[in-house]
Amino acid sequence: RRYRFAFQPTVGAININRLRDGVYVDCSRGFVETTGYSREEVIGRSSLELAIWVDPEVRAAMAQTLMDHGQCRDIEARFRKKNGEIMWGLFSASLMEL
């Protein structure tokens, strides 16, 4: 309950994905508003399946960094919104156990 209260109203695009396959476990309202996808369209599908990463090799490099170091900071990447529009984003990621 506390997690939802802090996570959902955040204006930033926050998401939780499984590292091994990129499947979305959850996403914030800010993620929904930024990407144009509904939460229901995202949960259970992978970022690669949705073609959100314009350059999938950046995701692969990020995943490797997470496996090696447990976190990555301030990575610039291009992302594709649901409507096809390309946008630049700056993101950081950390491993966590759920």
Side-chain angles (χ1 to χ4, degrees), residues 34-54:
T34 299
T35 65
Y37 286 98
S38 71
R39 189 170 176 273
E40 294 73 24
E41 290 174 303
V42 170
I43 304 302
R45 297 179 71 192
S46 76
S47 55
L48 296 175
E49 179 184 355
L50 294 171
I52 286 177
W53 293 87
V54 173

